């Protein structure tokens, strides 16, 4: 027998699974980022339909009302997702900084080349007249 919290967990898990799959299908979410979301949805679905597994998990953690373990599991997965995105953002920030530095260096080099070319045509024109 499923109680309301488990039914809500089942509906949320199925909804999340379908939503993530649709985002991947529309190419709004990359496959590599969808894995943790899909894992979260699958685990919520499994725990929602398997009361003995949920009871075992709840007793291991020390939770007296097993359906509340669903929300604990969901929160743990969300924390993993946030940690994953934090590492991605950190990597992208570093790459962005390196790209900005390289761009600044290229701009400086381009300005130096422009200055050199601006000084050369006068000398080149004099040499061509001879």
């Amino acid at each position: 027998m499923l109680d309301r919290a488990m039914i809500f967990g089942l509906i949320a898990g199925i909804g999340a699974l379908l939503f993530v799959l649709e985002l991947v299908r529309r190419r709004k979410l990359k496959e590599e980022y969808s894995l943790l979301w899909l894992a979260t949805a699958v685990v919520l679905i499994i725990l929602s339909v398997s009361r003995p597994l949920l009871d075992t998990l709840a007793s291991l953690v020390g939770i007296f009302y097993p359906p509340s373990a669903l929300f604990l599991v969901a929160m743990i997965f969300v924390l993993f997702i946030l940690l994953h995105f934090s590492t991605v953002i950190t990597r992208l920030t570093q790459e962005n900084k390196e790209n900005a530095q390289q761009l600044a260096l290229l701009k400086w080099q381009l300005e130096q080349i422009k200055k050199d070319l601006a000084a050369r045509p006068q000398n080149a024109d004099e040499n061509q007249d001879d």
Side-chain angles (χ1 to χ4, degrees), residues 12-74:
I14 291 171
L17 183 69
L18 294 174
F19 185 64
V20 170
L21 289 174
E22 182 63 19
L23 288 174
V24 171
R25 187 184 72 80
R26 290 185 182 182
R27 305 230 184 260
K28 302 270 184 188
L29 180 65
K30 292 178 75 172
E31 293 85 1
E32 64 184 286
Y33 300 130
S34 68
L35 294 177
L36 282 171
W37 287 112
L38 292 173
T40 302
V42 168
V43 168
L44 282 179
I45 292 169
I46 290 170
L47 289 175
S48 294
V49 296
S50 175
R51 184 62 188 239
L53 184 60
L54 186 62
D55 290 339
T56 303
L57 175 68
S59 66
L60 286 174
V61 178
I63 297 175
F64 299 107
Y65 181 60
S68 64
L70 285 173
F71 300 105
L72 175 65
V73 168

Side-chain angles (χ1 to χ4, degrees), residues 76-100:
I76 289 170
F77 271 95
V78 168
L79 289 174
F80 279 124
I81 291 167
L82 289 172
L83 180 62
H84 173 69
F85 285 144
S86 295
T87 59
V88 169
I89 288 170
T90 300
R91 180 179 47 85
L92 291 174
T93 300
Q94 183 62 32
E95 288 176 9
N96 192 23
K97 179 181 174 183
E98 290 171 6
N99 287 337

Side-chain angles (χ1 to χ4, degrees), residues 2-3 8 11 36 39 46 54-55 72-73 89 104-105 110 119 122-123:
L2 297 176
D3 60 8
F8 177 77
I11 291 170
L36 282 171
I46 290 170
L54 186 62
D55 290 339
L72 175 65
V73 168
I89 288 170
L105 183 58
L110 182 61
Q122 296 168 357
N123 296 338

